[in-house]
Amino acid sequence: MEEPLLLLVEDDALVVMVAEDALKLGGYAVRVATNGVDALDALDAPSAKFAGLVTDIGLGQGPDGWEVARFGREHQPDLPIVYTTAESAGEWPTHGVPNSVLVQKPYAPAQLLAAISTLITAADTSRTTSELYCDPPRAAS
């Protein structure tokens, strides 16, 4: 079985190493984008189908994590999103997308893994439930 693919958006190389290791140990494949432009390109790729998005909010020049997450949700409406930040946590209620989680830096790697895993599980459960309870197909007239 193929590992679920996550997009990790982070501009700090040390944080990338720690987060990527934690996510891989948790059973995920990880694609890294080090800025907002690269993240938008990854999300916009025709073959892009990410199981989840983990994005820092402050990404330097270009799109920030808020913009990356909104763009991701436009392409995948049920995309699980975890924001990470050292200083922008207070903006999450107004800038964050619905059904997302914010993990405050510095965080323990296990916190990040638990946050994204919980959201992915909830999204999978929601998809399965809606598939189970949808109307049956109608016969062509």
Side-chain angles (χ1 to χ4, degrees), residues 10-101:
E10 174 61 60
D11 61 345
D12 182 313
L14 182 58
V15 175
V16 168
M17 288 178 14
V18 171
E20 187 175 17
D21 285 349
L23 296 170
K24 285 182 175 180
L25 285 171
Y28 296 99
V30 179
R31 168 140 185 225
V32 175
T34 58
N35 60 61
V37 171
D38 290 346
L40 296 181
D41 287 345
L43 290 164
D44 199 32
S47 63
K49 182 63 177 158
F50 293 100
L53 168 66
V54 176
T55 184
D56 186 18
I57 294 168
L59 297 170
Q61 296 217 341
D64 61 17
W66 306 123
E67 294 170 87
V68 169
R70 283 191 297 273
F71 187 83
R73 280 286 177 84
E74 287 171 10
H75 284 69
Q76 282 182 243
D78 60 349
L79 180 68
I81 296 173
V82 173
Y83 296 101
T84 64
T85 187
E87 65 265 343
S88 300
E91 298 174 27
W92 178 51
T94 55
H95 293 293
V97 298
N99 301 316
S100 63
V101 172

